[in-house]
Amino acid sequence: MGNLLMNEWIKIFRKLSTTIMIVLLLLGIVTMGAFYKYQETTSTTQVNENWKQELQTQISSDQEGLTTAGENNANMKTYYERQIALNEYRIENDIAPNNEQHIWTFVGDSQMMISLAGLFSIIIAAGIVSSEFSSGTIKLLLIRPISRVKILLSKYITVLLFGILMLAIIYLFSSLVGLVLFGLPSTDVSHLAYSNGEVIERSISFNLVIQYLLSSIDILMIATMAFMISSAFRNSSFAIGISLFLLFMGGTATILLASWFDWTKYILFANTDLTAYFDGVPIVEGMTLSFSIVMLLIYFLIFHLLAFGIFAKRDVAA
Amino acid sequence: MSAVLTLEHVKKTIKGNPIINDLSFSVQAGEIFGLLGPNGAGKTTTIRMIVGLIGLTDGDIIVSGKSVKKNFEEAVKNIGAIVENPEMYKHLTGYQNLKQYARMHKGISKEKIDEVIELVGLTERIDEKVRTYSLGMRQRLGLAQCLLHDPKLLILDEPTNGLDPAGIREFRDHLRMLTETKGMSVIVSSHLLSEMEMMCDRIAIIQQGTLTDIQYVRDFVDNDQMVYLIETGPLDNVKNWLQQDWNATFVDSGFTVSVNKEEVPLLLNRLIDSKVSVYSAKEIVKTLEQRFLEVTTHTNGGL
């Protein structure tokens, strides 16, 4: 398996297009950094002296929301409860909401680049099987004493590794750019998380890693789908087209549908944003974290059953 | 001699159309075996079934005692193949391409790779991208790729496509050398007869998915007998004994027969005694090509 992964890795990284992808990603982060730096120098942020009072007003308005909206929507109830608990914690422990730009806020902002990384991972996922067919090299690949399942698995793992590499590049490079442009935070900052009715302080860099991984779930699913289409139909443009359309439109379309139909919760894209369960509101009432995880697993399994089932059986005649 | 490859009643049906009908043959160790047939006869399908690219509808293929159907990895380990054009990763160098395939077999050393490169004569250009290679060089790289793991059976589908005469000759010498020094068996497919005649020990003619004939090429070369075309009138009365005693093949204007020169008057006398009009008798040089055309046109006519 190690050798197979190495083969796939070499094939990807000897391509010019892969180098271009990485350069674009790095350029994107630098441009973003420059833009934020420019904004920071032109606008002056003042320290708000009355932040405690403002939070207090926010809390009472949230409490109002809790009694009205929270009554008939369990998810909204959790949301308000969380907001109130977090703000109360801030007042009690004297943690002012911080507007300062520093390395970690920049790493957080760089999550925007994840869609670019997703785009690249999808291109790789869509091409990794179908390009062997279009170049004819599949014939030399499948006549080795290695089962087709192993070959396809090595390709899928390569896609995953490529995605992880892209994420790591964004995280590490934006840390570097953030450190150079904005420096470390002036006071100790940590992420306030709310779980089981309690507020806990978490390391901000660790929390960002979790956030990066959570916001990559939709990309993981779409890349898996692109991989499935690519192995089943052997056509990379078809796979890329459908996948990118879904990557950019799927979420929006699901939100639109969610306001009318309850069954929207079974759609893949209603379940890909797991951060909703930690910091926001799920799009259909009554959805829970475990429901979404089960849905994601079901989709994941279906994609792989199709990909492996078709790839292992089908005749290579072209 | 032991069989390296055996096809047992192999059938392939694609969307209800029979592509290969009950094909059975075997290839012996050290033999160069030709698969000959017009385009679309099922040569490539047969080859793809042997290497496992296409599944079998019925029957089985045994390579070195292992079934391709049931024990794919063990069976295909003994095969090196080029299926149609040797397509390589164009953005990698020749050497990187070979490394790709070397990693997929067990125990191929760096020395072995260098030895194979030397053998096919690519040493000088091996570190250049395959994109810059000529067709002949790609063929040689393709050959190198299937020799890496010292297979017992080499399968080459239309290997001389696009090679110039010098390249074909060189390729032929390579094959001879491989079978003689390493005891490899080779299957070559082609629709070019002259080439097959020079290359192969034995040739199978495939037509419309059926094996129509298997011939030893040596038989033609070693044969003292000549082939005569006898132009005659109607043969209805004599067909029986012509077939039984002389093994004649009937054509439109008469028949052909393979006999020693001294026997010709004997045959003609007997024909004249039987009141058959004999117009001419001429010696023809019978090549495999004629045999091939005979076999194939006969089957076509029967349709």
Side-chain angles (χ1 to χ4, degrees), chain B residues 229-233 235 239 248-256 294:
Chain B
L229 171 66
I230 321 279
E231 202 183 342
T232 61
L235 287 167
K239 260 193 173 158
T249 313
F250 299 98
V251 295
D252 282 347
S253 55
F255 63 94
T256 62
E294 248 171 52

Side-chain angles (χ1 to χ4, degrees), chain B residues 80-98:
Chain B
I82 307 178
V83 183
E84 285 174 321
N85 305 319
E87 277 122 348
M88 298 282 171
Y89 300 105
K90 292 194 180 67
H91 64 289
L92 303 181
T93 66
Y95 193 78
Q96 285 162 349
N97 266 289
L98 291 183

Side-chain angles (χ1 to χ4, degrees), chain A residues 13 27 55 95 99 221 224 276-277 304:
Chain A
F13 279 88
L27 270 181
L55 280 189
I95 307 170
N99 291 326
M221 296 306 289
T224 307
Y277 296 108
H304 277 309

Side-chain angles (χ1 to χ4, degrees), chain B residues 272-284:
Chain B
I272 291 161
D273 287 348
S274 310
K275 306 233 181 313
V276 173
S277 343
V278 178
Y279 302 112
S280 76
K282 62 184 171 194
E283 192 181 293
I284 54 171

Side-chain angles (χ1 to χ4, degrees), chain B:
Chain B
M1 276 208 283
S2 59
V4 173
L5 170 79
T6 311
L7 271 74
E8 293 169 350
H9 305 288
V10 171
K11 286 193 186 93
K12 178 69 185 176
T13 311
I14 296 174
K15 287 181 189 142
N17 296 320
I19 306 293
I20 301 290
N21 290 314
D22 199 20
L23 193 61
S24 300
F25 62 84
S26 55
V27 177
Q28 308 299 321
E31 179 181 39
I32 302 185
F33 186 88
L35 277 182
L36 188 62
N39 289 328
K43 299 184 302 270
T44 300
T45 307
T46 308
I47 283 177
R48 281 169 191 259
M49 285 195 291
I50 298 172
V51 296
L53 287 174
I54 292 184
L56 280 71
T57 307
D58 202 8
D60 204 351
I61 294 176
I62 311 292
V63 184
S64 233
K66 302 281 183 342
S67 157
V68 170
K69 230 169 152 181
K70 295 173 205 110
N71 204 346
F72 172 75
E73 288 166 53
E74 284 298 311
V76 91
K77 205 159 76 177
N78 302 302
I79 303 180
I82 307 178
V83 183
E84 285 174 321
N85 305 319
E87 277 122 348
M88 298 282 171
Y89 300 105
K90 292 194 180 67
H91 64 289
L92 303 181
T93 66
Y95 193 78
Q96 285 162 349
N97 266 289
L98 291 183
K99 284 286 279 183
Q100 285 271 328
Y101 299 114
R103 283 190 205 100
M104 298 177 81
H105 293 278
K106 284 197 185 82
I108 295 176
S109 63
K110 209 189 154 302
E111 289 72 39
K112 178 73 201 175
I113 300 179
D114 292 337
E115 181 199 314
V116 169
I117 294 169
E118 180 77 45
L119 182 79
V120 298
L122 270 180
T123 314
E124 273 167 41
R125 303 278 306 270
I126 199 68
D127 287 319
E128 285 174 41
K129 292 231 160 90
V130 170
R131 187 172 297 144
T132 67
Y133 282 19
S134 67
L135 188 57
M137 290 170 69
R138 284 180 201 189
Q139 289 280 16
R140 284 192 255 166
L141 188 61
L143 191 60
Q145 160 275 130
C146 47
L147 293 175
L148 281 174
H149 52 290
D150 279 326
K152 289 186 186 136
L153 176 65
L154 208 56
I155 301 180
L156 307 166
D157 191 7
E158 309 267 353
T160 51
N161 256 2
L163 288 186
D164 54 20
I168 293 178
R169 206 203 139 81
E170 192 189 12
F171 187 82
R172 217 162 51 218
D173 295 342
H174 270 147
L175 287 193
R176 272 279 159 239
M177 192 267 292
L178 288 170
T179 47
E180 275 158 24
T181 59
K182 310 212 170 186
M184 274 182 199
S185 309
V186 184
I187 297 184
V188 185
S189 86
S190 179
H191 57 273
L192 295 173
L193 296 138
S194 46
E195 213 176 78
M196 297 285 266
E197 250 182 308
M198 286 187 274
M199 227 187 279
C200 303
D201 298 320
R202 206 153 58 109
I203 294 176
I205 298 174
I206 293 188
Q207 229 209 335
Q208 283 155 351
T210 331
L211 187 72
T212 38
D213 197 12
I214 293 193
Q215 289 275 333
Y216 276 99
V217 173
R218 226 173 297 123
D219 286 357
F220 290 101
V221 185
D222 298 344
N223 211 334
D224 288 340
Q225 293 184 332
M226 292 302 296
V227 176
Y228 294 87
L229 171 66
I230 321 279
E231 202 183 342
T232 61
L235 287 167
D236 301 328
N237 301 325
V238 294
K239 260 193 173 158
N240 263 339
W241 63 257
L242 268 178
Q243 215 153 23
Q244 274 166 20
D245 302 351
W246 300 87
N247 196 18
T249 313
F250 299 98
V251 295
D252 282 347
S253 55
F255 63 94
T256 62
V257 65
S258 166
V259 289
N260 293 327
K261 200 166 192 148
E262 304 82 63
E263 292 176 307
V264 178
L266 221 76
L267 171 64
L268 293 182
N269 279 335
R270 199 167 164 190
L271 281 173
I272 291 161
D273 287 348
S274 310
K275 306 233 181 313
V276 173
S277 343
V278 178
Y279 302 112
S280 76
K282 62 184 171 194
E283 192 181 293
I284 54 171
V285 181
K286 187 160 156 176
T287 60
L288 186 67
E289 182 151 6
Q290 271 161 322
R291 177 84 188 119
F292 173 67
L293 288 175
E294 248 171 52
V295 173
T296 50
T297 47
H298 179 76
T299 323
N300 275 340
L303 274 178

